[in-house]
Amino acid sequence: MPKTNDAALAAFISAKTEIDAMLERLAALSAEHFECSPEHVNWGDVGTLEHYRARLREIIDMAFREGEHAD
């Protein structure tokens, strides 16, 4: 009897669905300038955004085999 990958496929779709939801939430937050108005931006906000950027850069580098993850 051939093996199926139904369980793996279900887990993959579940993870992808969660990632899609996270990206949608992040895009909405970005559209709102991460809830920072220009009059109230401070260096703490910059640090927080830089932290987000660094984590996203790490993910992008892994996903596209760039940066330290380049072949």
Side-chain angles (χ1 to χ4, degrees):
M1 178 173 277
K3 293 182 180 179
T4 65
N5 67 341
D6 291 348
L9 179 58
F12 181 90
I13 296 300
S14 177
K16 182 192 176 312
T17 299
E18 187 175 354
I19 289 169
D20 289 345
M22 288 188 284
L23 290 171
E24 188 175 312
R25 290 180 67 204
L26 188 60
L29 188 62
S30 178
E32 295 298 322
H33 303 286
F34 295 90
E35 298 180 342
C36 293
S37 65
E39 303 83 26
H40 298 105
V41 170
N42 61 53
W43 286 108
D45 299 321
V46 174
T48 298
L49 207 56
E50 284 293 323
H51 182 77
Y52 296 166
R53 185 204 53 79
R55 299 294 73 78
L56 287 168
R57 171 54 50 207
E58 183 179 349
I59 292 167
I60 292 297
D61 284 353
M62 286 187 293
F64 294 100
R65 295 180 179 95
E66 298 172 346
E68 69 181 61
H69 299 278
D71 293 335

